Amino acid sequence: MGAVHIRGVSKSYPIYANPSDRLKELLSFNRRSFHRDFWALRDISLEIEKGATFGMVGENGSGKSTLLQLIAGILTPTRGTVEVEGRV
């Protein structure tokens, strides 16, 4: 029985080449895409047991902060589920 359950979590952000592309996409009612997707996380599954201590190690830009923000509830995943029992 874990305290944190992460199942198939992915998170993407839209990246626009120009600031005006965001407005163009909005005015086209999403019929045209003016962005490319940047995937910060792809298909992450993890379970952390209650009372356990864990650490994340990785290179810059590998998604450590994004994963912590998902666990804390600051961000919502693009795909998958994050369940936290208790408080973080």
Side-chain angles (χ1 to χ4, degrees):
M1 178 177 192
V4 177
H5 307 277
I6 300 170
R7 295 183 190 97
V9 167
S10 298
K11 180 67 179 171
S12 73
Y13 296 97
I15 304 295
Y16 295 91
N18 300 308
S20 62
D21 289 346
R22 186 181 305 264
L23 181 60
K24 288 179 192 175
E25 188 171 287
L26 182 66
L27 294 175
S28 74
F29 299 103
N30 290 329
R31 286 177 284 180
R32 284 194 63 199
S33 177
F34 290 91
H35 72 273
R36 65 178 178 84
D37 289 325
F38 171 76
W39 290 92
L41 298 173
R42 285 192 191 209
D43 197 29
I44 303 294
S45 295
L46 175 68
E47 186 165 326
I48 303 167
E49 298 294 327
K50 182 178 179 181
T53 301
F54 78 101
M56 288 190 288
V57 178
E59 296 179 7
N60 290 344
S62 62
K64 301 178 299 287
S65 295
T66 302
L67 184 57
L68 287 173
Q69 289 176 6
L70 288 167
I71 292 170
I74 296 168
L75 295 176
T76 57
T78 304
R79 295 186 195 132
T81 60
V82 177
E83 296 174 5
V84 178
E85 298 173 14
R87 62 184 195 137
V88 178

